[in-house]
Amino acid sequence: MSDEDDKLRETIRSLLAGGLEVEVFPRADTHDEVQAIVGRLQANGDLKDRLAIAGFTLTPIEHEGIEQACETCMYYQVHRCYCELPELDVPVEPQWSCRLWRI
Amino acid sequence: MANLLWLQGGACSGNTMSFLNAEEPSACDLVTDFGINVLWHPSLGLELGENLRRMLDAIVSGEIAMDIFVFEGTVVNAPNGTGEWNRFCGRPMKDWVADLAKVATFTVAVGDCATWGGIPATAPNPSESEGLQFLKREHGGFLGKDYTSKAGLPVINIPGCPAHPDWITQIVVAVATGRGGDLTLDEFQRPKTFFTSFTQTGCTRNMHFAYKVSATEFGQRKGCLFYDLGCRGPMTHSPCNRILWNRVSSKTRAGMPCLGCTEPEFPFFDLEPGTVFKTQTVMGAPKDMPTGVDKAGYIKLTAAAKAASPAWAEEDLFVV
Ligand code: SF4
Ligand code: SF4
Ligand code: SF4
């Protein structure tokens, strides 16, 4: 984990803890929903907006009986604690979550 | 000596290109070393016009024996079941196929179009195309499900878009050298020797599949293409990572997802926009699971594998 990652992770944490309004639901259940959210992310470079669009939370979201946490998401790099989804590309924590979660 | 006739229906010639690129044995070796007499082939045949017509008539009448009838491309039935959209030597190709299949000792369908209809038979299928003995997954096709050639075998299906040269030549050689009766076929009449294993068998990205490390771009060195880029390797029966292409590589080794081209449903999802090169998910889990795996098991296994993945699995790594 690099200092740069740590700094950005901290910024994200404080934004979310400070009450940043995010779109936790609806979760991206279908391919079209995923594409719509990814399209909005591609068109938006601002960190706060992207956290909001992706529906970031500091705790896992349970959806349809499945706990959606970064640590089980296929975009999560375990050792770097990082989200590799090209449209997000940010440091995260294992217990965070977003609505683009997929396994 | 075994007489071989190769005809093309609704086809792009991809399987012919593949066949002509064969090595060990090459198309020439088949003639010189394995006693195959190519009666006619669209790219190799010498006869034209009336001469070709006479030859085909002689085959249909039994005057010339045809040991191996190879068909490439779909049987085109349009318009309205007449087959007039694909005429050959003075009549609809489908009429030649019907007559020739009756006198063939072995009938071999090469490529997806001839086996199950392939891309031309994708909805809305304007050319009313079908494969020799299947239409997609449905048994029957143009020749009907009860068809057998004179040797007693149904159509031998060698799917692929295109089929690998070795899959074609090895089956042709087996038939020509009298070992055709030893061929065992799966439920889709594919030779088991090639189509029992999966594209994933031998893929250099298996470690990344196991540790759930995803490739997110084509050509990326590390990562498995299943999770994001729609690789169908775990559910596609093919030897693409056992019998390499050009003897050196495969799609997945080069960082390109397997499209499942040896399966009857290819091209999947009728090529709806957004379905190619993209893993389809339902509630965050892949819509199509690896063969034999259920969703609950998949989720448990992948979560555990992810947690156990070593650091090197996330680093750049040559997998080719
Ligand atoms: S895509 Fe996955 S790893 Fe990235 S933030 Fe969302 S849940 Fe976490
Ligand atoms: S790239 Fe495809 S074939 Fe290779 S391991 Fe991954 S899913 Fe399997
Ligand atoms: S890797 Fe897949 S798509 Fe490519 S040739 Fe093999 S079976 Fe077909």
Side-chain angles (χ1 to χ4, degrees):
Chain A
M1 275 184 254
S2 70
D3 289 351
E4 215 174 294
D5 280 4
D6 287 344
K7 256 190 242 158
L8 184 52
R9 190 179 291 106
E10 209 33 60
T11 307
I12 296 171
R13 188 202 316 278
S14 45
L15 281 169
L16 295 171
L20 180 72
E21 270 196 37
V22 299
E23 301 175 36
V24 180
F25 293 100
R27 308 299 278 181
D29 284 345
T30 65
H31 180 70
D32 289 345
E33 286 162 345
V34 173
Q35 289 307 101
I37 297 168
V38 164
R40 284 173 66 199
L41 288 173
Q42 282 165 346
N44 207 315
D46 179 71
L47 177 66
K48 272 200 246 176
D49 288 349
R50 288 194 297 133
L51 296 177
I53 294 166
F56 265 70
T57 52
L58 296 174
T59 49
I61 297 294
E62 174 145 345
H63 179 56
E64 302 284 341
I66 301 171
E67 190 181 85
Q68 300 185 336
C70 286
E71 69 178 335
T72 54
C73 175
M74 72 159 203
Y75 294 115
Y76 179 66
Q77 280 197 338
V78 179
H79 295 271
R80 190 180 166 195
C81 292
Y82 199 86
C83 172
E84 258 196 322
L85 176 69
E87 288 76 15
L88 287 174
D89 198 23
V90 287
V92 290
E93 288 278 356
Q95 289 303 300
W96 291 4
S97 182
C98 93
R99 58 187 180 143
L100 288 169
W101 177 95
R102 64 195 279 184
I103 192 159
Chain B
M1 171 87 84
N3 284 342
L4 179 147
L5 174 73
W6 181 310
L7 294 184
Q8 277 177 353
C12 69
S13 280
N15 290 282
T16 281
M17 295 303 291
S18 191
F19 171 67
L20 295 178
N21 277 296
E23 296 169 39
E24 302 167 14
S26 68
C28 292
D29 295 337
L30 293 184
V31 176
T32 55
D33 300 350
F34 292 95
I36 290 170
N37 176 39
V38 180
L39 293 170
W40 197 80
H41 177 287
S43 302
L44 305 172
L46 297 177
E47 289 75 12
L48 290 170
E50 269 312 301
N51 288 342
L52 177 56
R53 169 95 200 211
R54 266 196 293 277
M55 174 193 280
L56 293 177
D57 284 339
I59 295 170
V60 170
S61 72
E63 195 185 319
I64 299 177
M66 177 175 56
D67 303 287
I68 313 170
F69 174 37
V70 179
F71 195 65
E72 170 185 9
T74 60
V75 178
V76 172
N77 292 298
N80 306 317
T82 61
E84 289 290 337
W85 282 8
N86 179 203
R87 286 181 66 83
F88 180 73
C89 253
R91 60 199 288 238
M93 176 59 94
K94 77 186 191 93
D95 294 345
W96 284 118
V97 173
D99 289 347
L100 291 162
K102 286 188 195 124
V103 294
T105 310
F106 290 92
T107 300
V108 180
V110 167
D112 275 12
C113 297
T115 49
W116 2 94
I119 291 173
T122 298
N125 191 2
S127 56
E128 299 168 31
S129 278
E130 57 188 334
L132 285 187
Q133 218 168 4
F134 281 86
L135 174 56
K136 302 291 172 179
R137 212 161 246 273
E138 199 183 315
H139 198 193
F142 178 68
L143 295 174
K145 63 180 166 42
D146 296 327
Y147 169 81
T148 52
S149 63
K150 278 165 59 185
L153 283 183
V155 173
I156 300 168
N157 282 333
I158 310 179
C161 194
H164 188 294
D166 288 2
W167 311 344
I168 306 171
T169 55
Q170 289 187 30
I171 294 304
V172 166
V173 165
V175 169
T177 54
R179 290 179 289 119
D182 297 343
L183 290 173
T184 51
L185 307 178
D186 71 7
E187 59 176 322
F188 293 113
Q189 296 165 205
R190 300 174 290 200
K192 283 190 179 173
T193 177
F194 296 130
F195 297 101
T196 304
S197 62
F198 296 92
T199 303
Q200 193 170 34
T201 313
C203 178
T204 49
R205 295 171 189 268
N206 263 313
M207 300 185 291
H208 294 117
F209 179 80
Y211 289 125
K212 220 169 109 38
V213 175
S214 175
T216 49
E217 285 170 11
F218 298 135
Q220 202 170 300
R221 283 183 199 152
K222 74 154 183 76
C224 165
L225 304 147
F226 174 74
Y227 302 107
D228 203 26
L229 297 175
C231 185
R232 302 195 66 87
M235 48 271 195
T236 298
H237 295 88
S238 96
C240 288
N241 279 300
R242 291 193 291 124
I243 300 171
L244 297 178
W245 287 78
N246 297 321
R247 304 256 184 272
V248 290
S249 194
S250 69
K251 280 197 186 76
T252 61
R253 289 180 187 214
M256 155 84 193
C258 168
L259 294 166
C261 83
T262 53
E263 298 294 338
E265 293 88 353
F266 175 85
F268 286 80
F269 310 112
D270 286 342
L271 297 173
E272 283 290 317
T275 62
V276 183
F277 303 141
K278 200 73 207 151
T279 307
Q280 305 298 298
T281 54
V282 180
M283 309 252 190
K287 195 170 176 182
D288 295 329
M289 292 286 166
T291 301
V293 176
D294 67 26
K295 187 172 162 186
Y298 172 84
I299 290 175
K300 274 188 214 146
L301 177 74
T302 47
K306 185 102 193 157
S309 71
W312 58 256
E314 290 176 359
E315 285 156 17
D316 214 5
L317 179 72
F318 275 106
V319 291
V320 284

